[in-house]
Amino acid sequence: MSEDAQDVVLIVEDDESIMFVLGEYLAGLGYRVLKAIDGEQAFEILASKPHLDLMVTDYRLPGGISGVQIAEPALLLRPELKVIFISGYPQEILDCNSPITRNAPILAKPFDLDTLQEHIQRLLA
């Protein structure tokens, strides 16, 4: 838990409507939500924030960087960080053959928010 007793979740998503829904939903559940629309913003947050519990990241992001390419160095920097991938093309995540994708949940868009909550609760338990 973070110093303010809230789990901190970083959402990396370039679709504004999805970002809004996820942000509002997770904030409503009591999580402290940070948002990034691309890899550059995600790396800035990862470099500047002392505590993060979970990252929910889209796979396809602008600028030619994938959610996996954000998660791999993030986990090197923060081994305790939990990751959930979301994508309209979940097979692409599996096909990239990253070791992270063997353990991280992958949710195909559109997904049920309750399913997301279940994965988050299990990962942060």
Side-chain angles (χ1 to χ4, degrees), residues 12-15 18 22 56-61 66-67 84-95 105-111:
V12 186
E13 171 61 64
D14 61 313
D15 183 307
I18 294 172
L22 291 178
V56 177
T57 181
D58 192 5
Y59 180 75
R60 287 186 176 183
L61 294 163
S66 74
I84 296 175
F85 294 104
I86 59 175
S87 180
Y89 309 92
Q91 190 59 46
E92 287 181 337
I93 299 170
L94 296 170
D95 291 345
I106 300 171
L107 300 179
K109 293 177 183 176
F111 53 85

Side-chain angles (χ1 to χ4, degrees), residues 12 36-46 61-63 65-66 70:
V12 186
I37 60 165
D38 58 22
E40 184 178 337
Q41 283 186 359
F43 286 128
E44 286 174 10
I45 290 169
L46 288 162
L61 294 163
I65 190 163
S66 74
I70 296 168

